Amino acid sequence: MEAVYAASFSDDDPLSGLVVGDLPEAEVPDGWVTVDVKAATLNHHDLWTLRGVGITEERLPMILGCDAAGVSEDGRDVIVHAVIGDPAAGGGDETLDPKRSLLSEVYPGTFAARVCVPERNLVAKPASLSWSEAACLPTAWLTAYRMLTTRGRLAPGETVLVQGAGGGVATALILLGGALGLRVWTTSRDEDKRQRSLDLGADQAFESGARLPDRVDAVMETVGAATWSHSLKALRPGGRIVVSGATSGMNPPADLARVFFLQLSVIGSTMGTRDELESLISLLDETGVRPPIAAEMPMAQARDAFEALQAGDVFGKLVLTR
Ligand SMILES: NC(=O)c1ccc[n+]([C@@H]2O[C@H](COP(=O)([O-])OP(=O)(O)OC[C@H]3O[C@@H](n4cnc5c(N)ncnc54)[C@H](OP(=O)(O)O)[C@@H]3O)[C@@H](O)[C@H]2O)c1
């Protein structure tokens, strides 16, 4: 079947291992179901995979992609939850299952004609969401939702700073923050992305690293090393930083004196549960909030989408359609 996959890893030139071609379909384990993919979206995770992060050589070739929306074998319109895990093993939360993985880490991903997942990973797609909009939700949007709610516990009226306004997670944070009644401030290196974040509903947008007019209650961090020190300095005493990614580097100075002296909380967050995905879908269905889509293209043109993602030249999500 048609598939977009990693054939090898390279840290310097991750796209050298990207293949758009054909692969045989994997066997369907007991209790798993097959979905005909209508749309799938790129995430930074796909570039990490091509760099060999979070995956080992013996799993190659690996079909890329965490997100999908499509039609199940019994004819339902579904959104595919990307976390393969056992809620019981994680105390009721599959993201805390020590053996959990995301599609494309252990099991084949969604950039293919068909993807196979446990039956419980199918969630109904409301008719109000297009295939492309629905496919944006299982990774970037679900991550943003959990960062703001379960992990960040932000309350209406609080001020949140979103670093790196143009990213897939960041644009979701801006829109969901607004829908949840937060005051949303953003940073971006790029003037055009700052303006576009204001167009999405952010209250103020600042250059990356700029001095802010006030301290914030919480920072949503996915950029990592390039913005970490600014994130810590932006917080009020007792503030919290929720971190789910580190695109620009994993090991910035920890600035521990600031962490303990100001009693800051550093909170990790990864993906979300099936229940959270259902809540997110309901929120979009009820509020009319929709994911900004940077570009849609047929899956056969996946290389163009990967080049745009790697260049960081994107505002919102890149969608592959079938
Ligand atoms: N833990 C999880 O469950 C989870 C889920 C999804 C994503 N993630 C991670 O979160 C990160 C973001 O993912 P994404 O899909 O949203 O990626 P993305 O769309 O590629 O976003 C990256 C954003 O980071 C900013 N950025 C990149 N390099 C920077 C630098 N050197 N200095 C300042 N800003 C920089 C850019 O913001 P500006 O150009 O606007 O400045 C860019 O828009 C990735 O590392 C990803 O692996 C984690």
Side-chain angles (χ1 to χ4, degrees):
M1 64 174 173
E2 181 185 24
V4 178
Y5 60 94
S8 59
F9 305 134
S10 167
D11 198 26
D12 300 336
D13 182 13
L15 300 200
S16 62
L18 179 71
V19 179
V20 180
D22 276 295
L23 279 182
E25 290 197 39
E27 284 201 9
V28 183
D30 278 350
W32 289 45
V33 290
T34 301
V35 173
D36 277 334
V37 175
K38 294 280 188 193
T41 81
L42 269 70
N43 291 287
H44 219 90
H45 187 278
D46 302 306
L47 279 177
W48 290 124
T49 303
L50 286 161
R51 290 199 167 96
V53 177
I55 183 168
T56 46
E57 293 263 341
E58 61 273 14
R59 299 224 165 100
L60 294 176
M62 174 57 81
I63 299 176
L64 297 164
C66 302
D67 296 331
V71 180
S72 64
E73 55 196 53
D74 58 1
R76 289 175 288 150
D77 292 354
V78 295
I79 299 174
V80 175
H81 180 38
V83 180
I84 309 295
D86 176 4
D93 180 334
E94 65 267 32
T95 67
L96 297 176
D97 173 358
K99 292 197 176 143
R100 71 115 164 85
S101 68
L102 306 190
L103 287 172
S104 79
E105 289 176 353
V106 177
Y107 304 101
T110 57
F111 295 168
R114 279 169 293 286
V115 63
C116 180
V117 290
E119 165 72 36
R120 85 173 286 277
N121 283 53
L122 302 187
V123 180
K125 179 187 94 61
S128 61
L129 291 174
S130 70
W131 290 117
S132 293
E133 289 164 348
C136 295
L137 304 184
T139 303
W141 275 68
L142 180 59
T143 300
Y145 184 72
R146 182 174 170 96
M147 288 172 80
L148 293 169
T149 58
T150 318
R151 303 297 288 154
R153 297 187 177 280
L154 279 141
E158 286 195 297
T159 303
V160 63
L161 179 69
V162 176
Q163 299 280 21
V169 179
T171 47
L173 286 164
I174 295 166
L175 279 156
L176 291 173
L180 295 169
L182 309 177
R183 187 157 68 137
V184 179
W185 292 356
T186 65
T187 69
S188 176
R189 300 164 295 176
D190 182 81
E191 159 104 56
D192 181 50
K193 289 186 191 173
R194 290 197 291 277
Q195 182 54 49
R196 293 177 76 175
S197 74
L198 295 171
D199 297 343
L200 284 186
D203 295 279
Q204 294 194 60
F206 304 92
E207 262 183 66
S208 299
R211 191 179 175 83
L212 304 179
D214 208 348
R215 300 285 164 109
V216 301
D217 298 296
V219 180
M220 299 295 119
E221 179 58 86
T222 59
V223 179
T227 51
W228 185 253
S229 145
H230 182 250
S231 294
L232 290 176
K233 286 182 191 144
L235 285 172
R236 65 162 168 81
R240 54 229 192 263
I241 178 164
V242 185
V243 54
S244 72
T247 301
S248 62
M250 304 276 181
N251 289 302
D255 202 354
L256 290 178
R258 189 173 288 274
V259 172
F260 66 73
F261 204 62
L262 295 179
Q263 303 186 69
L264 306 179
S265 301
V266 176
I267 303 166
S269 195
T270 282
M271 300 295 286
T273 64
R274 185 189 188 281
D275 288 350
E276 286 168 327
L277 180 57
E278 281 195 317
S279 302
L280 167 66
I281 294 165
S282 298
L283 181 72
L284 266 58
D285 196 31
E286 285 156 18
T287 59
V289 168
R290 295 291 178 270
I293 291 176
E296 286 175 275
M297 58 198 84
M299 203 169 271
Q301 290 169 25
R303 183 168 288 276
D304 295 343
F306 272 88
E307 280 168 4
L309 184 73
Q310 190 182 27
D313 187 16
V314 174
F315 191 90
K317 295 288 290 170
L318 290 158
V319 182
L320 304 178
T321 55
R322 295 197 78 261

